[in-house]
Amino acid sequence: MAKITAVSPLAPKRFPDLPEIKGARFAAVEAGVKYKDRKDVTLVALDPGTAIAGVFTKSATRSAAVLDCQDKIGTHSNEGAAIIVNSGNANAFTGKNGQDSVNAIAETVADALNIPPQRVFSSSTGVIGEPLPHDRICAKIAEAAGAISVSNLAEAAKAIMTTDTFPKGAGASISVDGKQVHIAGIAKGSGMIAPDMATMLVYIFTDASMEHEVLQQMVSALNEKTFNCITVDSDTSTSDTLLVAATGGSGVSVTAKSVGFMEALRGVMLDLAHQVVRDGEGATKFVEVSVSGASSDADAKIHAMAIANSPLVKTAIAGEDPNWGRVVMAIGKSGAPADRDLLSIWFGDTLVAEKGWVSPAYREEDGASHMKGEEIKLHVDLGLGGGTATVWTCDLTHGYISINADYRS
């Protein structure tokens, strides 16, 4: 694999203190799937009655684990459930062997935790096209089952990493009807990040009690404004998975009308999404791209993603070059409606261009000054309507090439 020598300069200072989620227990073990001398399998045991919602990649070459999860996600049971994740091997493009591996792992987990295989949700992340050595994982499941604890979420976050330079976690605690409800989540992702989901795995847990249908509707809606609004390199993974589990451990019922809970869940999802971008392979800049004045929100997002995914825009940002012409180029190629003479472009708070030309008050040194920061904001107003969108990306550096050129070595 690529040699990761340093933590991203955009990383949080430390892994956050996450609330314990009653009804969810975690373990991480070393199975040697690909990596040596590090934990690479995470097991999560969930109490009976846990509702599980999910959103998955729309890739036409989805992995066996994704297809299996999609088949299981609509089922609900009063029995326990489990999530098992391995890093180092994606179990994608592996033919019938892929499903055989998923089945073997699910059955082993089911036996260890005394739950139905239908309630075991698996994920795999890493190299595509290599058979998953599932026997190594199965051999460690009993050890993992014996080590599960409510306090092991940080270790679980580390075990799902591939080219990530830091483990990702976020949490929240809120009051619902005068009682405390907790949310805690972990994620992995660094490269192969683009909407449909954004190679990304996300697992979020809450002790709220929720009906599956309510949880699924909430997660699907929030995903569109969080994980489906980030991009590192415009490549969509075969393995992207977001699972949210509501254990009911708090005894507090949350419904579709629980606006405070939904906002707290959105905050956790957006925090994790931003951390994925901040760990973008080779990233040195965190970039927010906002578009207003579009004919529709959908058109605004098309323009925003065209800017965020442009190698020319991203390399200009890496070089701290306020090259607003590249933003104009990206808008022009997006395919959504735009009028050259109505465009306005800002770098941070600086108006750079308007009315089809550079702003009379713009000074190059002002744009350059904004580009020297780690947090970059690009804003475009199209002057056509009320449509808006905001997406997040990072710059494109030599580090991205080095990591991915060496990925399988």
Side-chain angles (χ1 to χ4, degrees), residues 7-32:
V7 174
S8 168
L10 306 175
K13 294 186 182 302
R14 64 182 185 87
F15 191 82
D17 295 323
L18 300 179
E20 292 186 353
I21 305 298
K22 187 177 180 180
R25 291 156 292 153
F26 311 90
V29 294
E30 182 180 336

Side-chain angles (χ1 to χ4, degrees), residues 4 18 55 65 73 83 108 118 128 163 184 186 221 229 234 254 274 329 344 406:
I4 308 300
L18 300 179
V55 182
I73 203 67
I83 297 171
T108 306
Q118 192 67 13
I128 294 171
T163 59
I186 60 175
C229 285
S234 81
V254 168
H274 284 183
M329 173 278 301
S344 298
D406 295 338

Side-chain angles (χ1 to χ4, degrees), residues 41-57:
V41 172
T42 284
L43 176 66
V44 184
L46 300 163
D47 277 2
T50 297
I52 301 177
V55 182
F56 306 91
T57 179

Side-chain angles (χ1 to χ4, degrees), residues 199-280:
T199 294
M200 185 185 77
L201 302 177
V202 184
Y203 307 97
I204 300 174
F205 310 93
T206 177
D207 52 15
S209 176
M210 301 182 70
E211 294 293 330
H212 171 265
E213 292 77 10
V214 172
L215 181 61
Q216 184 63 60
Q217 290 172 7
M218 195 175 289
V219 170
S220 295
L222 293 174
N223 178 64
E224 288 305 311
K225 296 292 186 179
T226 56
F227 294 109
N228 262 4
C229 285
I230 64 173
T231 179
V232 167
D233 49 21
S234 81
D235 283 334
T236 296
S237 168
T238 61
S239 307
D240 295 335
T241 297
L242 162 62
L243 294 176
V244 181
T247 68
S250 68
V252 180
S253 179
V254 168
T255 69
K257 297 180 180 180
S258 300
V259 177
F261 175 85
M262 188 170 183
E263 183 60 23
L265 179 58
R266 186 198 72 84
V268 170
M269 291 172 68
L270 189 60
D271 189 339
L272 291 172
H274 284 183
Q275 288 186 55
V276 170
V277 173
R278 290 179 181 279
D279 204 15

Side-chain angles (χ1 to χ4, degrees), residues 132-193:
L132 178 67
H134 62 261
D135 54 325
R136 301 179 193 175
I137 298 171
C138 292
K140 289 288 185 173
I141 288 173
E143 176 187 332
I148 53 175
S149 166
V150 293
S151 60
N152 281 345
L153 190 52
E155 288 301 305
K158 293 176 184 177
I160 65 176
M161 293 166 53
T162 53
T163 59
D164 305 61
T165 69
F166 63 91
K168 301 163 183 66
S173 296
I174 61 166
S175 178
V176 177
D177 297 330
K179 298 179 181 179
Q180 284 290 296
V181 172
H182 307 290
I183 305 170
I186 60 175
K188 68 83 51 181
S190 186
M192 207 185 290
I193 302 295

